[in-house]
Amino acid sequence: MKKFDKNTIPSKHYNGKKIGLIAVAFLLSGHVAVQAQTTPKSDKDTLVGASKEIEQVVIIGYGAKKKSDVISSVVKVNAEDLTKVATSDVGEMLRGKAAGVQVTLANGAPGSSSNIQIRGQRSISGGNNPIVIADGVRVGSINDVNANDIESLEVLKDAAAQSIYGARASNGVILITTKRGKTGKAKVTYNGFSGFQTINRNFDIYSGEEFAQLKREAFRTNNAGVYRPDSEIFSALELESVQTGKYIDWEKLMLRTGETQNHAINFSSGSDKFSIFSSVNYIGTKGVIPNSDFNKTGIRLNADQKISNTLKVGLNTSFQFSETNNPNNEGVILSSITTSPLGRVYNDDGSLRLLPGGFAENKNPLIDLYQTTNFVQNRNDILNLFVDFTPFRGFKYRMNASRRSWNYKRKSYNTTQSVAGIANNNQGSGSIQFQDEVEWQLENIFTYNFKLAEKNHFAATVVQSISKTNRNDFENASKNIPNDILGINGLQSALLNTPTITEYNRGIVSAVGRLEYDYDNKYYVTIAGRIDGSTVFGKNNKWASFPSANIGWNIHRENFMENLNFLNNLKLRFSYGSVGNEAISPGLSQSTADQSNYVIGGNQVSGYIPGPTLPNPNLKWETSTTFNSALDFGFFRDRITATVEYYNTRTKDLLVQEQLDLSSGYSNRWNNLGEVENKGLEVSLNADVIKTSDFKFKIGLAYTKNKNKIISLYGRDADGDGREDDDILNRRFIGKPINVYYQYDVIGIFQQGEDIVNSAQPLALPGDIKLRDVNGDGIINDKDRVITSQMPDWYGTLSVGFEYKGFDINADFYTVQGVVKNNPFLYSYLEGGSLRGIKNGIKQDYWTPENPGGNYPRPNEGNDPSNIFNMGLQDASYFRLQNITCGYSFKPDTVAKIGLTNLRIFLTGSNLFTITDYQSYSPEKNPNEYPEARTIVAGIKFGF
């Protein structure tokens, strides 16, 4: 062992006792260090690493590395931070935990999943979801893994990190490693919580009195500005409500306080030869809408058996089963907002009245709440077997074989007494659907780590992979079922049954290579490449290659940095590479045939005619190429850490369904067109502001700004202006984001006395909507439409944590800024936004002669106000207290007296409050979509 000199170990910081403790800690951490990288560290590296407890290990594609050696864009998310969020959705747990990863609400219903997007939208039709790899096996959803089973979660963001997964990796990769048994005594842990859910809407609807006045104003406008008697406006049932003041509160009748619970039991045990980890998890949620609920049970078993010093086998298995009830949720919420509050809910005999107010436009929403069913069962299981063979030091071969299967069953039924059943002469209807998917995967993985002349470290990885997926889908829609005795199971008695059958196979064959080199843990170079062949593309372009390269420089390890004692990490890294996207359905490169019936010899027979899709044998991979640069900082032994990243991704050969001239005999063709750019800036900062034996205060910041724009579309210049044409029909514009709004800009309401005749809208009346004349030509036409991006300007997270002795408080604040959404409840008739006095809706300050300051048009019973469909755009920026957890961990000697190794109690609140101007239950969803609940739970965690 080399001697330490005074320049390596300053005497004021180290003494003999401390060095001895550091040496012991380093030896104890050896197992983890070997797993991360087998090459030895220099003396300086030893001391830097020894100043920490154990250097963090980061999982990368087909391997693991010390964090200090990672030179691609990989973010590690603490598993404990995930489980602090009181939800069954792992995607929602990930919200705000990593810069560049945007999580949005897909559906707030019990058991639903969130949308995850990494570094912006890249594809128009080829999908934008990242792939999720759990223990080396691609899973269908991030929720296929129980959060309490997760040991580590990493997000691969740049092409250099993703390219080793080439196929399907263009939208990012999420790597999940589940827990395994550990050597030592058997351990059992329990983690569970239970609580309630409520919702809070960021809008008001018209009360009974307000709705009655709105209806009077609507009829007044249609009667030359003169009020009509109430007896001519309201039905008898409505008039009864107006006169007695007994109005209907539909929200109170149709919503409730929800309940949620989550229980997980883990068992871990191991010896030198054999280890095992198993878990059982149950999730149960009763939604805020009656009859909506979700129940899920998950079981996992991970085992490792050491056969000899060179051979080890392992097994990863998981099984999940869930049941969901979802009785027309979105229709129920829509009705609770838009059904008139005037009338009576029940008939005299106590039964539900079909038309509470006597008008066909407002049917009783409680009927479908109890007379419709939508029952879904999901089963998901994964079986993964691996064999590790290590014939000599540094070399390892792994055979990884897996089978993943998914089964889906849905039964939906509208009874004879449902709204649809009553409209169809009291006959039932519904559908039954069965889906199953099986994916097989076999991988051969070779890795070899070696060194030359001590300071030259090499690592080589070679992978051969093949996977095949088979999917079957059967659905039968039934109409005119005469009775409800068997529900949808009585479909054989239906007058009309329409079956739909779909089956497809898809497969990928891949070869991967990666070579890593670093000199003295200072200078890093990695070159990787992957070749993929996919069955979904045209016969001329089945194969594609995805290369990448990245370099890194640990600047702080240079001799000229030795005197900067406050700086313990400074790393510069660059990467460049390509990844592919094949997220389209099989067969799209081929022509289609449609079924058609013929009469031959007086008999009806079925045949096929050419379909509308022109084949394209040249259909090929969508390819994303990314340049990534980053600078990592670490100060005061990582008391403060930061990362700043810039990226630019160009996605070309976009998979698009191109519309064709009908004279060709075809209406469309799948083709590779255009190019899209995503570029952005990501900043993350973490600091242990105060760190003493009794008190700790930490803070974390994450900031993401992504700019998306279309570089090219079809390459056409029909008008000859030297600029590529936009696709106005599909709202796609060169230089603008993929998703935009294209409509007129509302600038106010016309007033009495205003010079309307000489305006750009000479036929308008006082109380009508005023539009902006963009080009100032005195005419409102298509040239005055305005393009508005649907993408946020930026989003970010602020996390704070306090610990005092056994008490702790952690809070996450999340914000999305500069995003605009279209809210149909501000203008659409069916959503009550057109101010006709027929349907209720979100309350607005509408214009009347007595209220000229109103910012909404004048109500009109006869027609929707002119141009009201332009009123829907709203600023959907928001600031939210995403999560807060308060807990207390009992001292080990205290819990040992009752036979426990640890005990913690906690209280967690999620989605507690949101500040936004967007009028909805959630700024990410329209008001009729199942709302994101506010959740408060109490829980306990212990082990023995």
Side-chain angles (χ1 to χ4, degrees), residues 405-422:
S405 68
W406 170 73
N407 182 271
Y408 171 91
K409 298 178 181 178
R410 178 182 58 82
K411 295 181 179 181
S412 301
Y413 187 65
N414 304 312
T415 72
T416 58
Q417 300 305 308
S418 67
V419 172
I422 295 172

Side-chain angles (χ1 to χ4, degrees), residues 744-745 759-762 770-775 777-785 867:
Y744 299 114
D745 185 22
S759 73
Q761 298 166 258
K770 184 191 299 185
L771 304 177
R772 181 158 68 97
D773 182 8
V774 175
N775 58 8
D777 63 358
I779 302 172
I780 299 296
N781 55 27
D782 286 347
K783 295 181 181 179
D784 297 303
R785 294 182 185 271
N867 298 305

Side-chain angles (χ1 to χ4, degrees), residues 268-553:
S268 175
S269 179
S271 65
D272 292 339
K273 296 290 186 180
F274 179 76
S275 64
I276 186 173
F277 171 85
S278 61
S279 68
V280 178
N281 178 245
Y282 169 75
I283 299 170
T285 303
K286 293 183 179 180
V288 294
I289 295 178
N291 297 333
S292 67
D293 57 69
F294 172 73
N295 293 279
K296 178 180 178 180
T297 300
I299 301 173
R300 173 172 292 277
L301 175 64
N302 294 346
D304 299 274
Q305 175 68 56
K306 185 178 180 180
I307 307 298
S308 67
N309 290 333
T310 60
L311 185 63
K312 185 179 79 170
V313 297
L315 181 71
N316 302 313
T317 64
S318 68
F319 173 87
Q320 291 183 337
F321 178 79
S322 66
E323 294 182 340
T324 306
N325 283 302
N326 180 2
N328 191 23
N329 285 335
E330 294 187 356
V332 169
I333 299 175
L334 174 65
S335 297
S336 71
I337 298 173
T338 61
T339 303
S340 168
L342 309 181
R344 295 172 57 187
V345 179
Y346 301 98
N347 293 309
D348 293 337
D349 61 1
S351 61
L352 291 171
R353 182 182 291 275
L354 176 62
L355 305 177
F359 293 101
E361 292 87 351
N362 288 299
K363 296 179 175 62
N364 195 325
L366 292 176
I367 293 177
D368 273 355
L369 186 61
Y370 299 104
Q371 297 296 328
T372 63
T373 58
N374 186 39
F375 180 65
V376 174
Q377 291 179 314
N378 269 297
R379 192 208 71 228
N380 194 321
D381 57 79
I382 299 173
L383 175 63
N384 172 225
L385 174 68
F386 63 88
V387 178
D388 288 341
F389 178 56
T390 310
F392 54 88
R393 184 176 181 181
F395 179 84
K396 179 180 177 180
Y397 162 71
R398 166 170 285 198
M399 186 276 292
N400 192 36
S402 64
R403 178 188 184 274
R404 179 183 69 86
S405 68
W406 170 73
N407 182 271
Y408 171 91
K409 298 178 181 178
R410 178 182 58 82
K411 295 181 179 181
S412 301
Y413 187 65
N414 304 312
T415 72
T416 58
Q417 300 305 308
S418 67
V419 172
I422 295 172
N424 194 29
N425 297 319
N426 294 104
Q427 299 208 8
S429 62
S431 65
I432 189 167
Q433 184 177 19
F434 300 97
Q435 292 179 336
D436 66 76
E437 182 175 289
V438 178
E439 181 175 5
W440 296 87
Q441 177 178 282
L442 176 65
E443 291 183 319
N444 293 291
I445 307 167
F446 303 86
T447 57
Y448 182 41
N449 298 326
F450 62 98
K451 63 180 180 179
L452 295 174
E454 293 297 328
K455 293 185 178 182
N456 296 282
H457 308 142
F458 295 87
T461 303
V462 176
V463 181
Q464 177 271 328
S465 175
I466 183 171
S467 67
K468 181 180 179 180
T469 304
N470 174 262
R471 180 165 182 149
N472 294 278
D473 188 347
F474 170 81
E475 182 176 7
N476 189 91
S478 304
K479 293 183 178 180
N480 296 0
I481 300 175
N483 58 66
D484 299 324
I485 297 175
L486 297 177
I488 192 59
N489 294 321
L491 60 84
Q492 67 272 16
S493 64
L495 178 64
L496 180 63
N497 281 303
T498 306
T500 303
I501 301 173
T502 305
E503 179 180 2
Y504 69 72
N505 293 281
R506 65 189 304 155
I508 293 179
V509 178
S510 307
V512 185
R514 179 175 63 198
L515 180 62
E516 302 170 86
Y517 167 76
D518 80 75
Y519 176 77
D520 198 23
N521 301 113
K522 293 181 183 178
Y523 315 112
Y524 299 82
V525 178
T526 299
I527 299 174
R530 178 165 178 146
I531 299 175
D532 289 298
S534 174
T535 60
V536 304
F537 294 114
K539 64 180 182 179
N540 298 333
N541 282 308
K542 296 289 187 184
W543 295 88
S545 59
F546 305 104
S548 71
N550 49 329
I551 59 175
W553 180 20

Side-chain angles (χ1 to χ4, degrees), residues 765-799:
L765 298 173
D768 284 352
I769 294 170
K770 184 191 299 185
L771 304 177
R772 181 158 68 97
D773 182 8
V774 175
N775 58 8
D777 63 358
I779 302 172
I780 299 296
N781 55 27
D782 286 347
K783 295 181 181 179
D784 297 303
R785 294 182 185 271
V786 177
I787 300 172
T788 305
S789 173
Q790 299 181 26
M791 310 299 293
D793 288 340
W794 64 277
Y795 56 93
T797 305
L798 168 64
S799 301

